[in-house]
Amino acid sequence: MATMTTTYSTRGADPATAPAFLAPLDHLRSGLPGAALSWVRDLREQGRERFAAVGLPTVRNESWRYTNLRDLGKLTFQPAVTADSDACFDVLPTVRPEGHGPRLVFVDGRFRAELSSTEGLPAGVELLSLATALTDHGDLVGDHIGRLAAADDRPLVALNSAYLADGPVLRIPRGVALAQPIELVFVSVGAEGRATSFHPRTLIVAEAGSRAVVVEHHVGCGTGTTLANHVAEIFVGEGATLHHYKAQREGGAAFHLSHTAATVAKDGCYDNFILTLGGRLSRNEVVSTLAGTDARTHVSGGYMVRGNQHADTTTLIDHAQPNGTSREVYKGVIDDTARAVFQGKIIVRPQAQKTDGHQLNRALLLSDTAEIDAKPELEIHADDVKCSHGCTAGELDDNALFYLRARGIDQETARGLLIGAFLAEAMEEIAEEPIREAFHSLVAGWLEEKR
Amino acid sequence: MAAQPETIEQVRAVTEQKYKYGFTTDIESDVAPKGLNEDIVRFISAKKNEPEWLLEWRLKAFRVWQTMEEPQWAAVSFPPIDYQDAHYYAAPKMKAGPKSLDEVDPELLKTYAKLGIPLREQEILAGVEGSEGKSPAIAVDAVFDSVSVATTFKAKLEEMGIIFCAISEAVQKHPDLVKKYLGSVVPYTDNFYATLNCAVFTDGSFVYIPKGVRCPMELSTYFRINQANTGQFERTLIIADAGSYVSYLEGCTAPKRDENQLHAAVVELVAHDDATIKYSTVQNWYPGNEEGVGGIYNFVTKRGACRGKNSKISWTQVETGSAITWKYPSCILQGDNSVGEFYSVAITNNFQQADTGTKMIHIGKNTRSTIVSKGISAGKAQQTYRGLVKILPKAEGARNHTQCDSLLIGDQCGAHTVPYIESRNRSARIEHEATTAKISEDQLFYCRQRGISEEDAVSLIVNGFCKEVLKELPMEFAVEAQKLVGISLEGSVG
Amino acid sequence: MIEIKNLHAKVDGKDILKGVDLTIRPGEVHAIMGPNGAGKSTLSYVLAGRDGYEVTKGSVTYYGKDLLALEPEERAAAGVFLAFQYPVEIPGVANTTFLKTALNAIRKHRGEKELDAMQFLKLLREKTKALGMSDEMLKRAVNVGFSGGEKKRNETLQMAVLEPKFAVLDETDSGLDIDALKIVAEGVNALRSPERSMLVITHYQRLLDYIVPDHVHVLAAGRIVKSGGKELALELEKNGYRDFGVNEAA
């Protein structure tokens, strides 16, 4: 009777788009890392079969009704095979004003050891590339990869699995608290005159009682079209806390697709914040499952788009056990002919009594041609719960604007102030101050460019 | 007017009755053979003595329907419906077009008396004169299975130019109006159930309010499914010409039967400049028994077009019946400054399922819409609010406010909220809020400490929860609706 | 007559009441004073029958009946009234409707004829006037948007309408300024009668200046540790609860 949909249906699939994406795989497969491991081969094969059967999702797929991947399907992407890009990176993005600290850098999805560092990590913490892990630590990743991000449900996860090769791997052992944030830097470079794709896989295992802050930077350089198809699997152990922040400011020719699946054990806390500024088309899927009692999750973010950008935020908070708490605050600013999509769903399973779930999405439209499409959803199967969502769309408050101008502030500065104030409620969700500051300056930069 | 009187006494008075409308009327009927094909469509059209254009329209719809698929997106589940295994026409045998109630079968009159539906004008008038001596408060069109059996106060309304009659009669007497407006809000290609309705609709009400006329009484249609194995496909069309006002009520019941019966109605409303249509429904089709056997499948398309400037359409619904409800009364706000409202209470208990909500399509400037939805789910029921607020680029200054609250009673039911919000105009302001909670233990204990039993306390609290919606109902319905709230939740606590 | 004997009760698995003994005769007003966390509110909820307040030992005999065996509404019908420390808001339910529903439920239970709308309104008007409450407050939803003082007056009005035999006033003075306190106390005093017993629960002596009790008890750590006349309250006011092994900054 109860339709408990946590999976996206394959309705609205387009298998015709699959061959172009899968063809390069035939030449690649044997050369991919971990080819000797049977579970890796199986995972890739299942992903390939699945994607071959469904292809790219279309707008007839309920989960994709507002985001059309037609443009993606028209391009022929070449997978980035090796980290052959010679692009020179003078300054890589960081939240650390003083410079170096632990970080992994990936260029077109491939690990670049010479740009990375694991200095200063406490003993027992593992921070390495998936390609290395598949070669040297097959057991560490074998227990986790593919467990959360099921290829069955999501075509792009299937595609990612088919190309599984590299990405960051982080394991924080039981009880260890990391003093400084770990930075993961993804640079999309691509190549002039052709479209390049890569499919990084992130794995983070925060064992019981551990604590860590992870910051992802996604940036672009070069003018080639790129497709970054990320999948992240995140395990937050009992009583562990993971703060996971992401700033996406890829270039105007970038497609950025990302699926993050997190599971939170008893008394654990998973905190996710995504600031979206870049990309021609982006989609961030965040699925956070409260799999233990008394677990918490915060899933928040800001999206700021203009020109003809399209930014999609699709979240699912799955309360599977009692006494869970979830909180979600998203703010969006949409200018020019840009379009933003927010789909947020809270599920409360029958046994998840005493759940407390709140969600808020507010969008600001700055132009006559901007568009917001929102679908905040509640699916509640337990009675002793408190759940709510709020959703608004509108423009800047004329009265406030006038008030500022009457005090001598010019129109553009006044607008900037008000937009900043509008975003503040979401930015406050970033618990770590240095990161909040760093993200604030990204927002300030965006506003500055606008002028 | 707000009506919050004497709730509990009324609830108690009727609380043992369960579904009191579950009787059947033993009456001889004219029934079409089972099945659905072009011949049946022609048969219905011939029975109604329809003009050629209408038959052609029906056949076009039927041909489109054959190419359509049942919608799958609603959060309801039911075994496949065999559309060939039902009668598409059933009518009580009576003289064609009874001139007065004296010609109507006494069995039918008894049925309506039992349902508490007034059909004898003199009795209503007598009753009313006895109290305040005003003009009658309500005029009724009674639809029994596939046909309209009686319409009261027609003559009095005609004096003011108001047309209130069965739609089959309107086809004969006012073909131009019907031809102009039928399908103009819900086209024959609209959706699976509406298209089926276009092909096989049998009867329903037709209302036309002329320019500047304020309809002096509530107009009401009372729908009754009696015959077994029949679908009911009524069609209602209401046109409010410039500057007019009408308040329309709709009520529905059906006998208890073990098999499911399909009810696929279409309602179209058109409001011209400065006109207001207020449409209220108390839907109490048979919901099935405690085990989920039987009950009506209520798959209904209701839509209003605010064509003129400053026009207003207000939907109020109290949905307590039906095994499955699939219904989204909507407003297309075309005229500048037009207003759409949707006030809904939906209660599902036992194995009932409801997927209901509204669409507000803002096209004109300064259009405003308000959505207030109160959902109560108990037993093993599943309920979904599904709504769309869409602001098109030219809807400068549009406003929407949506409040969507769900209450859960018991740990085996579900309440879901699926709103779609699409804005393409920056000056539009949209606010959507939704909450889900259970009945507060504090409130229950407070009531019980004051001596109120748990079941009465639930009814009282739920009525309070729904008050924002119930106060939108005309007085005649508000009292009935409050009683229904209590009855529908019977057995859900303890 | 109410006899509480060796009453033990648990909340959330924690022992709160640890052997309360108390006898209240018709017409008597008893005050229970005690520091925060002594179990004052727990005692009031146990007497009214709130879920989650588990009696593990002891008894409460109410006019010869086992009070603890009754459902909350049966206790109310038998004449037990609890004036809540935090009166509950019930949106959408008019105060009048609520009171009428409650009164008629209780009357029915007692085998009395239910009041019709006219009779009820007449009764309500009388009681309202005595408490200086406006008609407008009656039309509003139960306690919704009421100030602290209005809520407590509303509790007193309900008591006046339902005419209980045994009223428990739980921290009726909390959140009231002195003027509001006087009005509420006057209302309560007007209800004192030889047939009606009251149990006034309070942290401060102040309320007892206006509702003068016949007996005062000190509740500390789940037991009544001292009983006396009204002068005990003044003593407590001066010395605090220290003598009872409780350190309070208040």
Side-chain angles (χ1 to χ4, degrees), chain B residues 4-9 12 440-443 445-454 456 460-465 467, chain C residues 45 48 50 71-73 76 80-82 84 88-93 97-98 100-102 105-106 108 143 155 158 162:
Chain B
Q4 181 69 22
E6 289 67 271
T7 316
I8 290 303
E9 290 93 308
R12 190 178 299 112
S440 133
E441 292 291 346
D442 285 343
Q443 291 176 352
F445 177 64
Y446 193 66
C447 291
R448 294 178 74 192
Q449 208 301 305
R450 297 297 182 255
I452 302 167
S453 74
E454 190 168 8
D456 287 350
L460 190 70
I461 293 165
V462 170
N463 259 309
F465 173 77
K467 184 161 186 206
Chain C
Y45 282 142
R50 179 156 201 164
E71 291 294 315
E73 59 268 33
V80 176
F81 181 91
L82 170 62
F84 285 59
V88 177
E89 300 183 1
I90 310 179
V93 177
T97 310
F98 177 70
K100 181 163 175 254
T101 308
I106 289 176
K108 197 178 168 196
N143 294 322
E155 293 291 288
Q158 292 179 22
L162 301 180

Side-chain angles (χ1 to χ4, degrees), chain A residues 53-254:
Chain A
V54 295
L56 293 175
T58 73
V59 290
R60 293 196 53 200
N61 179 326
E62 178 61 26
S63 170
W64 290 85
R65 63 182 289 136
Y66 294 123
T67 294
N68 198 331
L69 295 181
R70 200 177 37 215
D71 287 352
L72 200 64
K74 284 183 197 153
L75 293 163
T76 305
F77 285 93
Q78 293 301 320
V81 185
T82 53
D84 54 0
S85 168
D86 291 331
C88 176
F89 307 105
D90 297 335
V91 185
L92 283 166
T94 177
V95 293
R96 269 187 283 265
E98 71 283 4
H100 288 298
R103 80 171 174 205
L104 300 185
V105 178
F106 295 82
V107 176
D108 285 348
R110 287 312 172 99
F111 181 56
R112 292 282 287 262
E114 80 282 14
L115 299 170
S116 305
S117 161
T118 56
E119 267 169 48
L121 284 175
V125 175
E126 292 175 272
L127 177 64
L128 68 168
S129 76
L130 179 61
T132 314
L134 287 177
T135 319
D136 307 338
H137 298 66
D139 50 339
L140 162 67
V141 292
D143 288 346
H144 293 99
I145 293 236
R147 258 184 59 198
L148 293 186
D152 283 355
D153 307 339
R154 295 174 171 86
L156 291 157
V157 171
L159 184 62
N160 178 287
S161 292
Y163 278 97
L164 185 82
D166 212 347
V169 174
L170 168 65
R171 186 177 73 89
I172 310 115
R174 179 176 284 268
V176 171
L178 293 182
Q180 47 179 337
I182 287 175
E183 296 192 281
L184 306 174
V185 182
F186 298 89
V187 188
S188 296
V189 179
E192 210 58 53
R194 67 182 164 92
T196 309
S197 66
F198 38 92
H199 308 269
R201 174 76 60 117
T202 299
L203 173 65
I204 302 176
V205 182
E207 291 185 357
S210 66
R211 189 180 186 286
V213 177
V214 173
V215 186
E216 289 184 25
H217 301 273
H218 297 257
V219 293
C221 72
T223 55
T225 297
T226 54
L227 163 63
N229 177 33
H230 291 267
V231 171
E233 295 179 274
I234 292 165
F235 297 80
V236 178
E238 204 172 302
T241 297
L242 179 68
H243 295 285
H244 186 189
Y245 305 113
K246 168 173 172 179
Q248 188 272 105
R249 45 200 179 99
E250 294 201 50

Side-chain angles (χ1 to χ4, degrees), chain B residues 85 89 100 129 139 173 193 223 236 255 335 345 395 404 448 457 461:
Chain B
D85 189 32
Y89 182 85
S100 77
E129 274 163 14
K173 293 190 180 158
Y193 303 116
F223 295 105
T236 297
V345 167
C404 209
R448 294 178 74 192
I461 293 165

Side-chain angles (χ1 to χ4, degrees), chain B residues 323-444:
Chain B
I324 303 177
T325 297
W326 179 99
K327 181 180 171 187
Y328 315 89
S330 305
C331 297
I332 300 167
L333 304 169
Q334 291 163 283
D336 290 351
N337 310 315
S338 60
V339 175
E341 294 175 339
F342 175 73
Y343 297 97
S344 171
V345 167
I347 301 179
T348 46
N349 197 357
N350 299 318
F351 285 88
Q352 282 178 277
Q353 305 174 62
D355 195 300
T356 184
T358 183
K359 290 185 197 176
M360 293 289 173
I361 313 292
H362 292 256
I363 300 169
K365 288 187 178 51
N366 297 314
T367 46
R368 281 165 291 149
S369 63
T370 303
I371 299 170
V372 179
S373 164
K374 304 280 179 176
I376 298 106
S377 208
K380 295 188 166 138
Q382 295 293 329
Q383 188 174 127
T384 303
Y385 167 83
R386 191 180 301 277
L388 169 67
V389 174
K390 187 173 190 143
I391 313 283
L392 290 161
K394 295 215 168 81
E396 206 63 37
R399 294 283 177 272
N400 163 265
H401 183 81
T402 301
Q403 179 70 44
C404 209
D405 298 315
S406 306
L407 204 57
L408 291 146
I409 302 176
D411 58 5
Q412 293 182 58
C413 50
H416 320 304
T417 313
V418 191
Y420 297 79
I421 299 152
E422 304 174 9
S423 179
R424 295 174 65 192
N425 186 298
R426 72 164 153 171
S427 68
R429 203 158 67 216
I430 306 171
E431 292 167 347
H432 170 99
E433 280 177 81
T435 65
T436 303
K438 71 166 183 174
I439 288 190
S440 133
E441 292 291 346
D442 285 343
Q443 291 176 352
L444 264 182

